[in-house]
C-alpha cells in the first residue's frame, strides 16, 4: 500500500518475522497430522518400513520443533531489535543503475524481489501517491514497482507512512545524451525511451545549468518543443558565469541526475539520482537526498519551525482555511533552508519556482520529493554558507522586502463586529483614556454597506469619515478591509465597481468568455483578474473614489486565495483535464476548485490552473502601487507567494484563542521571515472562540514582539481590546506595548536591514548560533536582530519560563544582571506583568522614551543600552528617515549612525548625514558589564553625572561622543 489510511485494509500483511513463525507452525502441524494417521493393512508396503509414529514420538517431535521455532524466533528478534531503526536517517543509497529495457508502451519485466528487498524503508519513494486508492500488489506491479508491506508501526492519523509501493532500482528514467558548454554554464538533452503511467509524457527535455553567482546555481528543465507556463515574477538574469563557485556539479548520464556538492567540504547538497525523474504534461516529479534532517521554510503550513521529515507531506495550493496541521493554507512558498549535517554551522537553500498545485514529501532518508502538476522544473540552489546568507541570496532572486511606513510598526487594533463607527470610535477613546499605545484602528467587513467593496454603511457607519479625521488629528491611522469578490447582482448603473469592471473587461471568465460568478459575503460575485494591468488601473480608480470619501491609510486584503463559498462557480466547471488532472495533490477538499474558482477559468496571463496561488501576490502588487497617497503603501495580505514582501505584509490567518495557537504563531512568524515577508504577526489573543484574560495578557506580551502587532477577534465574541480586561491585566498589556514603543528605533533599523540586505527581523536562534545544534529546533524563543532575545510565557498558570541560553554572556534587559552560559536551559521568573528579554554581549541598542503613538515617540530623544562583551566592546547602529516617504534610501533622504564602544569609550559616527539626523539627540545611556565602578565619566572632556549599580553604569548625556573611565 502506498500509505496507511483509515479506508484501507489493516490486516493484509504479516511482517517477515511473523511469516517465518507461521511457516514453521504450518510445517509442524503437517508433521503431527501425518504422525496421527492410522496405517491400515492394505496400506502396508511389501518391504519392511519404519514403525509408524506413536503418540510419544509425536510429542517429542512437537517439543523439539517448538524449541527450534522459539530459538529461531528469539534469534531473529534479537537481530531485528539491534538493526537500525527506520526512524533514523540513513545514508543515501548509491545512484540507481541503468533502467531495464522495455517497449514504448512502458511494459517491462517486474523488478526482482531481491532488488526490492535491498531498498531501505527510509529510501523508498512512493510509486502510487494517489489518494483514496487501496493500493494492492496488482495495482503496484502494474506500474512495474516494488510492493512490500512496511514493517514499521502505522503512522499517526492524517500522516503518511512508509510506502508499500515504491520504485525499484533501475526504474526507467531519463538519460543525458548530450552536454554542451555555454557562456553561463551547460546545456544538455535528456531522453526517455519508456513511457510512464501518467499521460502525455514529454520524452525529450532540455537541461540548462546556470552558474549565476558564486553562491547561486540555477537549473531549468524544459520542453524544447513546446513552451510551458512559467511563473511571471521578475528574477535576476545573469550576464556572466560565476568565476569561483562554492559548488561543484556532477551529472549522471544514465539514469540522469544532478549532484551538487559544497566545494569547501564535499557535502552533498542535492542528489537527484535517488529516484526517477518524471516530466509529463500534468505531473512533474523530482526527488533528492537532503543534507540533514534540519529543514525549515516550505510555507504556508501550521507546524513547528523545524519540519518533521518522517513521512511528512506538505501540500501547496492557496486555500481559505483556519490554520490547521497537515493542511494547505493561505500561501505557497516552495523554498526550504537546510542546515548541513554535523553541526558545522553551514546551510544551503533550495527554491522551486513553480506556482502549480504540488505536494512536497519529506522522508527520513533524509530526502525530499517535489511533485507538481504543471509548469516547468526551474529551481535554485543557494550555498550560504551560513543561514542568514542563504536567506539573503534567496531574496536576491525574489526581491527584498519593502521598507514599511513607520506607523506600521505600532500597535493595531481591530475586530469583526464593532457594529458601528461610533462603537469603533469609543474603543479608540478608551485606549486614549487609559494611556495605552495605539497607532492604527481597523475595521473588518461590517463597515461595508451590504458587504460591498468600496462602500460604507450609511447608517451604522455614517460617522466613519469623522472618525478617520479624528484619528489623523491624534497622529493615528485607519486601515480597512477589502475582499476581491465584486458583487454582480446590483441594479445596473447602481454599483460602479462592477459596471466599470464589465466595461473594461477586468473579470476572470469561463472558457466560453462569460464572466465567472462565485459567491462570497455580498452574495454572487465576479473576481478581478489581477494578472492584467487594466485591472490594476481599475483597482486604483476604485480606491481613489473611496479615498475621497474615507481617507484611509492602508489596506487589508482578505479572502484572496481567492476564496469562494461555492466550488468553482455557480454553474459548475467543465469536465476537462484542468479540472480533473491525472494526479491531484492532497489539497483540502480533494479538488482544485474546492472553495475557489474553476481551474479552467481564463485569466489574461494563463489559466487559473496555473495562476491560482499567485492571486494574493498580484492583488497586493496592485494595491501597493496605488499612487494616491504619495507615501509608502501599507498592505496586509492573507494569501502570499514568493516576492510578496516587496508589496505587503502578512497576518497568520484565522487562528483560535488557544495556548497552542499562541505557541505556533512563533513558528509562523519565523518562517515568514525566512520567506522574505518580515512584516508578519498573528491575531493577538486569538481570532475565533472566546479568549481568557491570562491568555490575552501573555499573548499581548508576545505580540509586542511580532514585527506586525495587531489584536483582532471575531464577531459574536466578547471584546478583547486592553480596556476590556481587569486593571491588573490592562496594566500588564499597557506595559508591554509601551516597551515595544520604546524599542521602535531598533525595530525600524532592523527593517532597514531587511529592506537593503535581506536580513530577518524576528530571527531564530540558530541564525546567530549555527554551530549549536541545540538551537536548531527552538521555536519557543526568538531574537530581534542578532542581540535581543525574547523568552515568552506560552503555558497557562505559571509564573516562570524555561529558556535556552547559547554559550556566551547575556544581560537581563531591564536590570543589566548578567548570565554567563555554557549553552544551557535556565528557569526564569515570569510574573503576569513580565516578559523576559535578554541582551547578547557586544550590542548597542537604540531606544526611545515611549508614548501612546509612534508619531510622538519618534520625536523623543534616544537612550542607548550597551551590553559589553568580556573585552568591554560593543556596537550597534541606527537608521532614521521621515518614516513615510518613498525611496528615501535611493534619494539620500536618510541618516545612518553607527555606535561603537571600545576601551571604555563610546563614539557615534554618522555614516550618512541628513536633516533627519539633526532631530536625533542622545539623552541617556546605560552600559551593562562595567566590572569596576568608574571614578569619572566625561562627555567630550566635560564631567557628566552618572550612577553605578552592580555592573551597570547609567549616565545622562547630550552629545554623541562618550568617554567612560
Amino acid at each position: 500500500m502506498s500509505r496507511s489510511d483509515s479506508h484501507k485494509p489493516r490486516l493484509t500483511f504479516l511482517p517477515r518475522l511473523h511469516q517465518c513463525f507461521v511457516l514453521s507452525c504450518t510445517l509442524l502441524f503437517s508433521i503431527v497430522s501425518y504422525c496421527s494417521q492410522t496405517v491400515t493393512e492394505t496400506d502396508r508396503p511389501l518391504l519392511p518400513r519404519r514403525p509408524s509414529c506413536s503418540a510419544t514420538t509425536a510429542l517429542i517431535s512437537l517439543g523439539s520443533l517448538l524449541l527450534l521455532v522459539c530459538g529461531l524466533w528469539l534469534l531473529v528478534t534479537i537481530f531485528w531489535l539491534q538493526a537500525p531503526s527506520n526512524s533514523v536517517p540513513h545514508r543515501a543509497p548509491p545512484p540507481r543503475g541503468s533502467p531495464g529495457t522495455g517497449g514504448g508502451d512502458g511494459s517491462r519485466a517486474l523488478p526482482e524481489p531481491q532488488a526490492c528487498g535491498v531498498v531501505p524503508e527510509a529510501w523508498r519513494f512512493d510509486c502510487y501517491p494517489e489518494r483514496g486508492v487501496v493500493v494492492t500488489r496488482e495495482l503496484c506491479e502494474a506500474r512495474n514497482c516494488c510492493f512490500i508491506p512496511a514493517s514499521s508501526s502505522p503512522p499517526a492519523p492524517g500522516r503518511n507512512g512508509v510506502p508499500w509501493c515504491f520504485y525499484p532500482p533501475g526504474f526507467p528514467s531519463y538519460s543525458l545524451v548530450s552536454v554542451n558548454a555555454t557562456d553561463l554554464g551547460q546545456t544538455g538533452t535528456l531522453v526517455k525511451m519508456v513511457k510512464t503511467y501518467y499521460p502525455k509524457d514529454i520524452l525529450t527535455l532540455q537541461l540548462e545549468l546556470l552558474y549565476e553567482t558564486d553562491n547561486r546555481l540555477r537549473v531549468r528543465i524544459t520542453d524544447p518543443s513546446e513552451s510551458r507556463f512559467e511563473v511571471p515574477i521578475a528574477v535576476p538574469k545573469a550576464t556572466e558565469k560565476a568565476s569561483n563557485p562554492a559548488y561543484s556539479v556532477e551529472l549522471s548520464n544514465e539514469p540522469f541526475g544532478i549532484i551538487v556538492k559544497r566545494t569547501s567540504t564535499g557535502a552533498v547538497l542535492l542528489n537527484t539520482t535517488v529516484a526517477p525523474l518524471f516530466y509529463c504534461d500534468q505531473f512533474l516529479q523530482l526527488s533528492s537526498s537532503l543534507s540533514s534532517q534540519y529543514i525549515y521554510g516550505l510555507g504556508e503550513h501550521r507546524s513547528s519551525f523545524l519540519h518533521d521529515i518522517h513521512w511528512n507531506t506538505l501540500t501547496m495550493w492557496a486555500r481559505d482555511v483556519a490554520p490547521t496541521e497537515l493542511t494547505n493554507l493561505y500561501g505557497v512558498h516552495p523554498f526550504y533552508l537546510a542546515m548541513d549535517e554535523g553541526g558545522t554551522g553551514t546551510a544551503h537553500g533550495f527554491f522551486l519556482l513553480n506556482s502549480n498545485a504540488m505536494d512536497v514529501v519529506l522522508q527520513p532518508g533524509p530526502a525530499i520529493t517535489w511533485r507538481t502538476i504543471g509548469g516547468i522544473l526551474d529551481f535554485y540552489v543557494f550555498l550560504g554558507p551560513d543561514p542568514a546568507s542563504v536567506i539573503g541570496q534567496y531574496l536576491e532572486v525574489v526581491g527584498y522586502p519593502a521598507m514599511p511606513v513607520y506607523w506600521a510598526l505600532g500597535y493595531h487594533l481591530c475586530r469583526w463586529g464593532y457594529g458601528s463607527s461610533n462603537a469603533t470610535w469609543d474603543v479608540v477613546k478608551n485606549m486614549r483614556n487609559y494611556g495605552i499605545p495605539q497607532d492604527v484602528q481597523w475595521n473588518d467587513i461590517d463597515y461595508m454597506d451590504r458587504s460591498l467593496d468600496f462602500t460604507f454603511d450609511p447608517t451604522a457607519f455614517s460617522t466613519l469619515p469623522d472618525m478617520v479625521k479624528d484619528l489623523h488629528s491624534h497622529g493615528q491611522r485607519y486601515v480597512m478591509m477589502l475582499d476581491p469578490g465584486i458583487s454582480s447582482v446590483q441594479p445596473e448603473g447602481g454599483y460602479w465597481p462592477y459596471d466599470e469592471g464589465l466595461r473594461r473587461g477586468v473579470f476572470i471568465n469561463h472558457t466560453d468568455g462569460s464572466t465567472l460568478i462565485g459567491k462570497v459575503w455580498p452574495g454572487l460575485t465576479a473576481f478581478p483578474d489581477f494578472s492584467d494591468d487594466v485591472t490594476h488601473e481599475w483597482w486604483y480608480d476604485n480606491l481613489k473614489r473611496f479615498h475621497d470619501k474615507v481617507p484611509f491609510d492602508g489596506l487589508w486584503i482578505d479572502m484572496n486565495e481567492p476564496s469562494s463559498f461555492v466550488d468553482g462557480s455557480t454553474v459548475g466547471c467543465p469536465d476537462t483535464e484542468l479540472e480533473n488532472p491525472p494526479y491531484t495533490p492532497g489539497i483540502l477538499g480533494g479538488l482544485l476548485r474546492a472553495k475557489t474558482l474553476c481551474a479552467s477559468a481564463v485569466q489574461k496571463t494563463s489559466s487559473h490552473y496555473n495562476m491560482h496561488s499567485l492571486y494574493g501576490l498580484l492583488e497586493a502588487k496592485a494595491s501597493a502601487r496605488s499612487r494616491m497617497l504619495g507615501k509608502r503603501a501599507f498592505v496586509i495580505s492573507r494569501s502570499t507567494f514568493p516576492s510578496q514582501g516587496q508589496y505587503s505584509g502578512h497576518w497568520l490567518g484565522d487562528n483560535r484563542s488557544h495556548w497552542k495557537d499562541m505557541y505556533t504563531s512563533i513558528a509562523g512568524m519565523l518562517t515568514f521571515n525566512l520567506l522574505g515577508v518580515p512584516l508578519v504577526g498573528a491575531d493577538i489573543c486569538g481570532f475565533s472562540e472566546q479568549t481568557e484574560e491570562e491568555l490575552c495578557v501573555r499573548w499581548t506580551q508576545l505580540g509586542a514582539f511580532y514585527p506586525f502587532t495587531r489584536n483582532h477577534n471575531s464577531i459574536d465574541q466578547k471584546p478583547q481590546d486592553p480596556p476590556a480586561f481587569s486593571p491588573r491585566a490592562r496594566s500588564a498589556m499597557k506595559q508591554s506595548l509601551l516597551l515595544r514603543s520604546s524599542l521602535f528605533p531598533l525595530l525600524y533599523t532592523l527593517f532597514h536591514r531587511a529592506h537593503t540586505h535581506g536580513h530577518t527581523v524576528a530571527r531564530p536562534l540558530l541564525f546567530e548560533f549555527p554551530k549549536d545544534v541545540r538551537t536548531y529546533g527552538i521555536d519557543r524563543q526568538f531574537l530581534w536582530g542578532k542581540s535581543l532575545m525574547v523568552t515568552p510565557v506560552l503555558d497557562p498558570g505559571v509564573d516562570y519560563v524555561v529558556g535556552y541560553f547559547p554559550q556566551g554572556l547575556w544581560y537581563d534587559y531591564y536590570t543589566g544582571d548578567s548570565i554567563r552560559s555554557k549553552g544551557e536551559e535556565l528557569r526564569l521568573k515570569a510574573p503576569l506583568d513580565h516578559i523576559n528579554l535578554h541582551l547578547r554581549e557586544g550590542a548597542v541598542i537604540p531606544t526611545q522614551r515611549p508614548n501612546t503613538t509612534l508619531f510622538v515617540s519618534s520625536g523623543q530623544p534616544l537612550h542607548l543600552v550597551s551590553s559589553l562583551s568580556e573585552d568591554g566592546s560593543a556596537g550597534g547602529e541606527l537608521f532614521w528617515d521621515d518614516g513615510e516617504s518613498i525611496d528615501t534610501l535611493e534619494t539620500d533622504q536618510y541618516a545612518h549612525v553607527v555606535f561603537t564602544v571600545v576601551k571604555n569609550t563610546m563614539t557615534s559616527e554618522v555614516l550618512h548625514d541628513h536633516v533627519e539626523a539633526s532631530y536625533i539627540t542622545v539623552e541617556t545611556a546605560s552600559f551593562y558589564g562595567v566590572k569596576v565602578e568608574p571614578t569619572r565619566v566625561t562627555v567630550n572632556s566635560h564631567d557628566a553625572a552618572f550612577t553605578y549599580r552592580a555592573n551597570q553604569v547609567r549616565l545622562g548625556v547630550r552629545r554623541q561622543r562618550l568617554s567612560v573611565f
Side-chain angles (χ1 to χ4, degrees):
M1 290 188 179
S2 184
R3 48 180 51 78
S4 298
D5 295 329
S6 59
H7 63 276
K8 297 185 178 181
R10 295 291 185 188
L11 300 177
T12 58
F13 75 100
L14 291 170
R16 294 184 185 88
L17 175 61
H18 295 166
Q19 287 174 345
C20 293
F21 181 81
V22 170
L23 180 61
S24 301
C25 290
T26 303
L27 177 61
L28 177 61
F29 178 79
S30 301
I31 293 172
V32 173
S33 298
Y34 171 74
C35 290
S36 65
Q37 290 177 358
T38 302
V39 181
T40 63
E41 286 291 326
T42 56
D43 291 331
R44 289 178 181 175
L46 294 176
L47 297 175
R49 58 171 299 170
R50 290 186 298 273
S52 60
C53 295
S54 65
T56 302
T57 304
L59 288 173
I60 293 172
S61 301
L62 175 62
S64 299
L65 284 169
L66 282 175
L67 287 172
L68 178 63
V69 169
C70 290
L72 177 63
W73 177 83
L74 181 61
L75 288 172
V76 174
T77 300
I78 292 172
F79 175 82
W80 175 68
L81 289 173
Q82 290 180 345
S85 168
N86 287 313
S87 64
V88 178
H90 294 69
R91 290 186 179 276
R96 295 184 180 274
S98 301
T101 58
D105 61 353
S107 62
R108 69 185 185 98
L110 291 175
E112 294 294 332
Q114 60 269 27
C116 296
V118 300
V119 181
E121 287 187 355
W123 289 97
R124 294 177 182 176
F125 293 86
D126 201 344
C127 180
Y128 220 116
E130 287 83 352
R131 289 161 177 78
V133 178
V134 178
V135 183
T136 63
R137 181 180 297 275
E138 291 72 22
L139 287 174
C140 179
E141 292 181 349
R143 294 187 172 185
N144 299 314
C145 287
C146 296
F147 185 83
I148 299 179
S151 61
S152 56
S153 59
R159 297 294 296 269
N160 298 335
V162 179
W164 292 14
C165 182
F166 57 93
Y167 302 111
F171 190 90
S173 187
Y174 288 86
S175 299
L176 179 63
V177 298
S178 67
V179 180
N180 295 294
T182 67
D183 291 342
L184 294 176
Q186 295 169 286
T187 60
T189 300
L190 311 181
V191 173
K192 185 164 66 172
M193 304 303 296
V194 180
K195 292 185 177 180
T196 64
Y197 42 83
Y198 287 111
K200 299 184 181 179
D201 273 287
I202 302 172
L203 298 179
T204 301
L205 301 173
Q206 179 173 308
L207 169 70
E208 188 176 12
L209 297 172
L210 302 170
Y211 297 72
E212 294 196 334
T213 73
D214 287 346
N215 291 294
R216 184 177 79 223
L217 171 70
R218 185 180 186 183
V219 180
R220 288 168 50 86
I221 304 176
T222 58
D223 180 357
S225 63
E226 186 174 347
S227 63
R228 294 173 58 82
F229 176 76
E230 298 188 30
V231 179
I233 65 173
V235 295
K237 301 295 183 182
T239 57
E240 59 182 23
K241 183 178 178 181
S243 59
N244 187 28
Y247 49 87
S248 64
V249 180
E250 301 172 11
L251 298 177
S252 171
N253 293 337
E254 189 171 350
F256 163 72
I258 304 172
I259 301 170
V260 179
K261 297 180 180 180
R262 190 184 299 278
T263 54
S264 60
T265 64
V268 176
L269 309 183
L270 185 77
N271 177 4
T272 70
T273 69
V274 296
L277 169 68
F278 282 77
Y279 209 116
C280 307
D281 182 44
Q282 291 181 275
F283 186 86
L284 292 78
Q285 181 171 287
L286 178 76
S287 299
S288 172
S289 63
L290 292 169
S291 63
S292 78
Q293 60 183 314
Y294 301 110
I295 305 299
Y296 312 86
L298 298 174
E300 180 176 12
H301 298 91
R302 172 164 145 152
S303 68
S304 56
F305 178 56
L306 171 63
H307 284 298
D308 181 1
I309 64 166
H310 293 91
W311 308 108
N312 184 11
T313 298
L314 303 170
T315 300
M316 296 190 185
W317 180 251
R319 179 63 151 83
D320 172 6
V321 58
T324 307
E325 286 82 356
L326 304 173
T327 304
N328 53 301
L329 301 183
Y330 313 107
V332 167
H333 294 268
F335 165 82
Y336 70 74
L337 169 76
M339 297 302 296
D340 293 352
E341 193 64 65
T344 62
T346 55
H348 72 277
F350 181 99
F351 171 45
L352 177 63
L353 184 53
N354 186 290
S355 62
N356 290 93
M358 71 175 73
D359 281 334
V360 184
V361 184
L362 298 172
Q363 63 187 72
I368 187 169
T369 295
W370 301 87
R371 192 181 294 137
T372 183
I373 62 172
I376 65 171
L377 294 178
D378 184 359
F379 58 87
Y380 294 83
V381 181
F382 307 102
L383 272 290
D386 59 277
S389 297
V390 172
I391 301 306
Q393 291 155 15
Y394 169 59
L395 296 185
E396 287 176 359
V397 171
V398 300
Y400 291 155
M403 186 66 189
V405 62
Y406 78 96
W407 52 261
L409 306 185
Y411 180 62
H412 302 240
L413 191 55
C414 181
R415 75 162 299 168
W416 177 23
Y418 283 123
S420 70
S421 51
N422 285 339
T424 309
W425 205 344
D426 286 342
V427 171
V428 175
K429 293 174 182 176
N430 280 339
M431 293 285 286
R432 293 174 188 163
N433 290 337
Y434 285 111
I436 302 174
Q438 182 190 4
D439 279 275
V440 193
Q441 180 61 50
W442 298 42
N443 274 125
D444 207 310
I445 197 171
D446 50 317
Y447 81 90
M448 297 181 187
D449 180 14
R450 295 164 293 155
S451 300
L452 300 176
D453 276 352
F454 309 111
T455 69
F456 65 94
D457 187 324
T459 302
F461 281 81
S462 60
T463 60
L464 182 60
D466 295 327
M467 184 193 79
V468 174
K469 182 179 179 181
D470 177 71
L471 289 170
H472 290 168
S473 69
H474 285 81
Q476 296 171 300
R477 299 295 182 268
Y478 179 70
V479 172
M480 66 176 191
M481 167 186 277
L482 280 179
D483 292 340
I486 302 296
S487 175
S488 61
V489 293
Q490 302 307 309
E492 186 175 354
Y495 187 47
W496 193 86
Y498 181 70
D499 294 338
E500 185 66 12
L502 274 184
R503 189 185 72 80
R504 300 191 196 182
V506 305
F507 297 120
I508 296 175
N509 293 328
H510 283 291
T511 53
D512 63 3
S514 61
T515 302
L516 185 147
I517 302 298
K519 186 178 182 180
V520 203
W521 297 112
L524 301 182
T525 54
F527 295 84
D529 176 11
F530 288 105
S531 72
D532 190 344
D533 289 340
V534 173
T535 306
H536 288 216
E537 290 299 318
W538 165 85
W539 188 249
Y540 167 78
D541 290 342
N542 279 284
L543 291 172
K544 180 65 169 65
R545 287 165 59 92
F546 188 72
H547 189 267
D548 289 343
K549 302 173 184 176
V550 179
F552 60 87
D553 301 283
L555 291 177
W556 173 19
I557 51 177
D558 190 18
M559 305 287 286
N560 56 349
E561 289 72 33
S563 176
S564 179
F565 298 160
V566 298
D567 292 351
S569 78
T570 55
V571 296
C573 305
D575 184 11
T576 65
E577 293 176 338
L578 293 182
E579 300 294 341
N580 304 293
Y583 176 82
T584 300
I587 60 179
L588 181 64
L591 299 171
L592 297 180
R593 60 182 175 272
K595 296 300 179 282
T596 190
L597 313 187
C598 295
S600 58
V602 178
Q603 298 186 231
K604 180 176 181 181
T605 299
S606 185
S607 64
H608 195 70
Y609 181 90
N610 295 321
M611 299 293 295
H612 169 80
S613 292
L614 292 161
Y615 196 89
L617 168 66
L618 296 176
E619 184 189 14
K621 187 175 182 180
S623 302
R625 289 184 170 180
S626 173
R627 303 180 300 275
M628 66 192 138
L629 300 180
K631 300 175 182 178
R632 297 175 205 166
F634 175 80
V635 181
I636 295 292
S637 176
R638 190 167 75 178
S639 187
T640 60
F641 192 81
S643 78
Q644 190 84 29
Q646 294 186 80
Y647 311 107
S648 82
H650 172 63
W651 98 102
L652 295 173
D654 295 339
N655 59 0
R656 302 167 184 85
S657 296
H658 297 168
W659 289 88
K660 181 178 181 180
D661 288 66
M662 178 169 65
Y663 156 63
T664 58
S665 73
I666 298 177
M669 170 186 66
L670 294 178
T671 295
F672 269 90
N673 269 264
L674 264 59
L675 301 174
V677 189
L679 188 63
V680 61
D683 283 344
I684 295 172
C685 303
F687 171 72
S688 65
E689 304 183 29
Q690 189 58 53
T691 195
E692 304 168 354
E693 181 167 285
E694 181 190 9
L695 172 63
C696 201
V697 170
R698 293 302 194 187
W699 208 329
T700 302
Q701 291 169 345
L702 168 61
F705 291 90
Y706 292 154
F708 166 59
T709 298
R710 183 185 71 166
N711 179 321
H712 175 48
N713 70 321
S714 180
I715 197 169
D716 297 329
Q717 304 297 329
K718 294 179 182 178
Q720 62 186 35
D721 51 275
F725 294 97
S726 70
R728 182 188 180 202
R730 185 170 61 242
S731 175
M733 294 180 186
K734 175 180 177 179
Q735 183 176 321
S736 62
L737 296 176
L738 286 170
L739 175 61
R740 177 188 176 87
S741 294
S742 71
L743 290 166
F744 171 69
L746 167 65
L747 185 59
Y748 194 67
T749 301
L750 291 176
F751 268 98
H752 162 69
R753 280 292 173 185
H755 172 59
T756 56
H757 294 83
H759 291 181
T760 51
V761 173
R763 186 172 303 173
L765 269 64
L766 75 91
F767 270 46
E768 293 300 322
F769 304 93
K771 293 185 178 181
D772 185 350
V773 179
R774 294 189 65 181
T775 66
Y776 287 13
I778 291 178
D779 55 9
R780 298 176 71 89
Q781 296 170 273
F782 58 94
L783 297 162
W784 265 15
K786 65 180 181 179
S787 301
L788 182 65
M789 185 167 69
V790 184
T791 308
V793 172
L794 301 172
D795 300 297
V798 298
D799 60 0
Y800 70 92
V801 64
V802 175
Y804 179 73
F805 286 74
Q807 183 175 1
L809 187 60
W810 298 85
Y811 296 91
D812 184 293
Y813 175 77
Y814 308 98
T815 66
D817 293 340
S818 62
I819 297 172
R820 190 177 307 281
S821 175
K822 297 178 181 178
E824 55 196 303
E825 288 187 341
L826 299 174
R827 177 167 165 154
L828 309 169
K829 293 180 180 180
L832 187 64
D833 61 352
H834 183 76
I835 182 170
N836 276 277
L837 301 179
H838 289 84
L839 280 175
R840 182 183 178 189
E841 62 179 308
V844 177
I845 300 295
T847 71
Q848 279 182 318
R849 188 186 309 150
N851 211 296
T852 53
T853 68
L854 292 181
F855 177 77
V856 177
S857 296
S858 62
Q860 301 299 309
L862 295 180
H863 172 66
L864 303 178
V865 181
S866 300
S867 54
L868 303 182
S869 60
E870 280 292 340
D871 62 2
S873 64
E877 64 177 335
L878 173 69
F879 175 84
W880 209 246
D881 60 13
D882 67 8
E884 58 186 10
S885 295
I886 300 171
D887 297 334
T888 57
L889 189 68
E890 292 77 6
T891 57
D892 290 332
Q893 305 296 304
Y894 70 95
H896 189 190
V897 183
V898 172
F899 303 102
T900 305
V901 181
V902 177
K903 296 180 179 179
N904 293 334
T905 301
M906 169 178 267
T907 58
S908 59
E909 179 183 3
V910 180
L911 296 184
H912 191 279
D913 200 1
H914 184 253
V915 65
E916 289 295 331
S918 64
Y919 305 134
I920 301 173
T921 58
V922 178
E923 183 177 55
T924 57
S926 295
F927 298 86
Y928 297 162
V930 180
K931 301 173 184 177
V932 179
E933 182 176 0
T935 58
R936 182 185 179 199
V937 175
T938 63
V939 177
N940 286 350
S941 302
H942 297 284
D943 287 343
F946 69 94
T947 60
Y948 181 83
R949 186 190 68 81
N951 64 348
Q952 177 190 163
V953 170
R954 184 181 177 94
L955 68 153
V957 58
R958 296 190 181 279
R959 302 291 181 188
Q960 292 186 349
R961 181 175 180 86
L962 308 177
S963 299
V964 183
F965 299 97

